[in-house]
Amino acid sequence: MTQKDITFVADFLTEHFNEAPDLYNRKGKYFNVERVGQYLKDEDDDLVSPPNTEGNQWFNFLKDSTHLKESPLLFPYYPEKSLHFVKRQMEGIIDQCLQKPADVIGKSVHQAVCMPLYKISQSEDSTPQLFKLPFLWNDKTSNLHYVLFTMLENSISKIHILRRHTDTSRSVSNGILAVEFGNFLNSSINESSDSRCYSCLDAHFYDDETITVVLKESVQQEGKERVLAQLPLS
């Protein structure tokens, strides 16, 4: 160790581990703890070495401001508490702020239609994930709401399009339909459907009239395993 290292350690010990008679009656802590660690303890006790806020521009600004001093918009400051305590206080306030909107929104939502998509065996311990890629799109011109999704396992080569009117009292024709890609990109009629079958990796609306899909070829071939296609809704 260099003399500089020794001096640094000595200064640290001198600053943080001096005897502190005023702390003798506080849970056996007879010296100041390291000033960073005290903020990270998950305790409600006051800090052993609270920060010195004298000369802090923000505190001086609040002290001199008549309007901000008692403002409910400012989160209260707890100079004697750790960050864990402040975090719990903030979480409680945030939960309180979100509770009322959650109640109001929850009461305003109701089921417009029920459409069974698949059935699973009741004996299965865990429910398999069969619903994938839900993408929402709202056509404001026609007041239509779309949902794109795929169903795994039996219909991996299909993409489903669910269409509903934004006015729940109205219905639209062909509320749900499926587009099957299969082997539609085969260049020859002699190619087997098994060797050139496509499944949908992702799908998004490009605009109100067009859907962009990323297709994956079932048989991996160099340079041919991915296809980007755009499908018109018409």
Side-chain angles (χ1 to χ4, degrees):
M1 296 177 66
T2 65
Q3 185 61 38
K4 185 177 180 180
D5 296 330
I6 296 175
T7 303
F8 178 80
V9 174
D11 290 342
F12 179 86
L13 295 175
T14 301
E15 181 180 359
H16 296 292
F17 293 90
N18 284 338
E19 288 191 4
D22 56 314
L23 302 178
Y24 284 171
N25 60 349
R26 295 188 56 179
K27 296 185 178 180
K29 298 176 182 177
Y30 303 126
F31 49 81
N32 291 335
V33 298
E34 201 276 317
R35 293 184 179 180
V36 175
Q38 65 176 344
Y39 289 101
L40 305 179
K41 291 184 177 180
D42 193 4
E43 299 175 353
D44 290 339
D45 295 339
D46 292 346
L47 297 177
V48 177
S49 299
N52 182 13
T53 59
E54 185 179 355
N56 186 292
Q57 295 180 352
W58 174 249
F59 294 126
N60 292 339
F61 171 72
L62 292 182
K63 189 185 303 181
D64 298 336
S65 174
T66 306
H67 300 288
L68 290 179
K69 188 183 300 183
E70 304 297 333
S71 173
L73 300 178
L74 291 179
F75 191 79
Y77 176 61
Y78 303 95
E80 305 289 336
K81 298 296 184 180
S82 70
L83 292 179
H84 280 281
F85 176 87
V86 176
K87 174 176 175 287
R88 286 195 298 270
Q89 292 290 110
M90 181 174 289
E91 287 175 342
I93 293 177
I94 292 175
D95 290 341
Q96 184 179 0
C97 293
L98 296 179
Q99 187 59 46
K100 186 66 174 179
D103 293 341
V104 173
I105 294 174
K107 293 177 181 177
S108 67
V109 173
H110 63 278
Q111 177 179 299
V113 63
C114 179
M115 193 174 297
L117 298 176
Y118 57 85
K119 293 182 179 181
I120 58 173
S121 173
Q122 297 294 331
S123 61
E124 295 184 14
D125 296 333
S126 59
T127 303
Q129 181 188 6
L130 299 179
F131 190 77
K132 191 180 178 184
L133 293 180
F135 178 76
L136 309 180
W137 179 266
N138 182 249
D139 183 353
K140 295 181 175 60
T141 305
S142 304
N143 295 325
L144 295 174
H145 195 70
Y146 291 89
V147 183
L148 299 179
F149 61 93
T150 57
M151 303 286 291
L152 303 182
E153 296 185 351
N154 295 334
S155 56
I156 195 171
S157 63
K158 297 178 182 177
I159 181 173
H160 297 74
I161 306 173
L162 172 64
R163 181 174 65 176
R164 294 287 301 174
H165 203 284
T166 53
D167 182 356
T168 56
S169 63
R170 301 177 58 182
S171 61
V172 292
S173 58
N174 297 328
I176 185 171
L177 57 86
V179 178
E180 183 169 9
F181 301 104
N183 59 347
F184 77 107
L185 292 177
N186 286 359
S187 58
S188 170
I189 196 172
N190 296 324
E191 293 186 67
S192 68
S193 59
D194 294 336
S195 63
R196 295 296 300 274
C197 184
Y198 293 88
S199 60
C200 182
L201 287 179
D202 201 359
H204 281 213
F205 266 81
Y206 181 77
D207 54 29
D208 289 341
E209 304 295 334
T210 311
I211 299 175
T212 300
V213 294
V214 179
L215 303 176
K216 175 184 177 183
E217 194 171 351
S218 59
V219 179
Q220 295 286 349
Q221 298 178 17
E222 186 176 355
K224 295 185 178 181
E225 64 272 6
R226 301 290 187 271
V227 176
L228 181 68
Q230 288 196 305
L231 306 176
L233 271 180
S234 57

